[in-house]
Amino acid sequence: MRWALVKVCLAVTAMVVIAFAVPLGLVIREMASDRAFSDAERQAGAIAPALSITTDREELTRAVLSTEPGDRGHLAVHVPAPGKAADGTEGEALDIGTRRATPKDVATVQKDGRASIAEVNGGFALLQPTALSTGEIAVVEVFVPEGEVSNGVATAWLMLAGVGVALIVGSVAVADRLGVRMVQPAQRLAGAAQDLGEGRLGTRVPEEGPTELRSAAVAFNSMADQVVQLLANERELAADLSHRLRTPLTVLRLNAASLGEGPAAEQTRAAVQQLEHEVDTIIRTAREQRPQTQGGQPEAGCDASEVIRERMGFWSALAEDEGREVRLAGVGRTVRIPVARPELAAALDALLGNVFRHTPEGTAFAVDVHHSGDAVIVLVSDAGPGIDDPKAALARGASGRAGARGSTGLGLDIVRRVAESTGGDLRIGRSVLGGTEVRIWIGLHGNRPERGRRGHGRRVGRRIGWRGRKEARTTTGPGAQH
């Protein structure tokens, strides 16, 4: 493409130069010729006064030699013979100076009375008729050398040729630069498309060059971002679905633990352990291959109270088997949040699964919900040993206790994405029950909570926790709800 543009520019410029230079060169040659013959006419006119006065040979010879062309031998005068005198004798024709024109050419000018240019050896001869006092026509011949006719033409043609070559070279250079400016962005775009096709998802194209190529680069980068986003969403979905399998696996593990001893019980526990290992492997693989992008916004909302009651109904059965005291508060009315039902259920299962997985049997836990007008706060707290380093757990996104055996590091990631998709956040602290408190701030209008509001949320959580602990004293069963 680049060389094609250069060739086209070269051909067009060459045609333009030829179209202008050739006629201009011919005009220059004609101008040089006209200048030379105009000078010759002026020189011929200089001898006319002498011819109008006398036809004496000596006088005319002196007049011819007194001129510059006559002195150089470039001027001649041809006077015809006069008619018969009174005594019957005929006059003699005079030829003064160096003759170059043929007698026939001179006779023709004398007869027609019009100036003429005759080609002679070494140049041209200007034949200028001049009237004599006797009524005869004399002819003044001025020799114009070939060099004077073409004087300056060669230099002018060389200058035209130089200008033409400079124009062609300049146009080629400009075309080459324009070609580079057009070709390089196109080559980068083609290379980026090939790299993206080979799996290098971080490939992007600089948005530069002509307008069309800039638009193509913008479209390519947008497409690449969408491809990365789609792959990220797919891998997130694979990891989330695999993590959701851990909820029924927890149930299986707990049930297998109550089977007692025997070959069948051991095989069941081994199978459950193997299945947990495979699920963990899937989750870790999905996280390792996940690009550093987050999923999109949830498409629909749900009733947080309904989802929490449903999931607590499921986990309460396991809590009763393990002798755990359960408390639920704040779910007595409808609370709409901009989170899809499966996403909220997965977040709750991740947090409650951590409680069962990382706290001893018989450890109490609670779920409190508070609606503050512009946000919904969900507090999941337990009476377990707590997390030694909450900041590190959030930094790694580690489920349960930092470094705990069997943790894939995805549980808190799921919860954090749910909160941040609404403009909220996730925080870990110390609960009033003595163990870990996980606070999920879910924004109702996509606004991230301010510092003051965060402190307010924590005070609200504390107040709910103390009230819930008072209510827990009157709870009649592990699955009771308030």
Side-chain angles (χ1 to χ4, degrees), residues 394-477:
L394 281 176
R396 288 194 299 269
S399 298
R401 302 325 183 241
R405 179 179 179 274
S407 175
T408 62
L410 188 60
L412 292 181
D413 252 2
I414 295 174
V415 182
R416 179 191 291 110
R417 285 200 307 275
V418 169
E420 292 180 350
S421 67
T422 65
D425 62 5
L426 173 69
R427 305 189 79 175
I428 298 178
R430 202 73 175 174
S431 74
V432 295
L433 300 179
T436 302
E437 177 187 88
V438 180
R439 190 207 68 174
I440 312 172
W441 183 295
I442 300 175
L444 298 182
H445 307 293
N447 298 324
R448 185 170 295 277
E450 301 174 356
R451 282 185 191 274
R453 299 296 296 169
R454 290 180 181 177
H456 172 70
R458 179 166 295 278
R459 290 192 298 272
V460 168
R462 297 291 187 186
R463 187 165 62 250
I464 293 175
W466 283 107
R467 183 191 66 186
R469 186 164 62 179
K470 179 179 180 182
E471 293 174 351
R473 297 193 185 100
T474 62
T475 302
T476 57

Side-chain angles (χ1 to χ4, degrees), residues 254-480:
L254 296 175
N255 290 338
S258 62
L259 291 178
E261 302 296 333
E266 293 297 330
Q267 291 176 1
T268 302
R269 284 190 284 269
V272 171
Q273 185 178 2
Q274 178 64 27
L275 186 56
E276 283 186 327
H277 174 73
E278 296 298 334
V279 171
D280 290 348
T281 301
I282 294 174
I283 295 173
R284 290 193 181 94
T285 302
R287 292 201 68 197
E288 289 172 358
Q289 296 179 351
R290 182 180 62 195
Q292 297 301 318
T293 55
Q294 298 296 332
Q297 295 292 330
E299 297 180 357
C302 68
D303 181 4
S305 298
E306 179 185 356
V307 176
I308 293 174
R309 287 195 301 267
E310 176 188 343
R311 299 317 301 159
M312 286 298 293
F314 171 82
W315 288 100
S316 294
L318 296 178
E320 186 175 358
D321 292 341
E322 292 191 357
R324 297 176 181 266
E325 183 181 355
V326 180
R327 174 173 47 79
L328 179 62
V331 294
R333 64 188 182 97
T334 300
V335 180
R336 298 292 302 182
I337 61 173
V339 177
R341 183 186 186 92
E343 300 298 328
L344 180 59
L348 289 173
D349 286 342
L351 294 179
L352 296 176
N354 282 342
V355 173
F356 279 83
R357 188 176 299 108
H358 301 298
T359 61
E361 293 187 8
T363 301
F365 66 93
V367 177
D368 300 305
V369 180
H370 176 71
H371 187 267
S372 64
D374 61 348
V376 172
I377 303 170
V378 179
L379 300 173
V380 178
S381 54
D382 62 62
I387 298 178
D388 295 334
D389 193 350
K391 291 184 179 179
L394 281 176
R396 288 194 299 269
S399 298
R401 302 325 183 241
R405 179 179 179 274
S407 175
T408 62
L410 188 60
L412 292 181
D413 252 2
I414 295 174
V415 182
R416 179 191 291 110
R417 285 200 307 275
V418 169
E420 292 180 350
S421 67
T422 65
D425 62 5
L426 173 69
R427 305 189 79 175
I428 298 178
R430 202 73 175 174
S431 74
V432 295
L433 300 179
T436 302
E437 177 187 88
V438 180
R439 190 207 68 174
I440 312 172
W441 183 295
I442 300 175
L444 298 182
H445 307 293
N447 298 324
R448 185 170 295 277
E450 301 174 356
R451 282 185 191 274
R453 299 296 296 169
R454 290 180 181 177
H456 172 70
R458 179 166 295 278
R459 290 192 298 272
V460 168
R462 297 291 187 186
R463 187 165 62 250
I464 293 175
W466 283 107
R467 183 191 66 186
R469 186 164 62 179
K470 179 179 180 182
E471 293 174 351
R473 297 193 185 100
T474 62
T475 302
T476 57

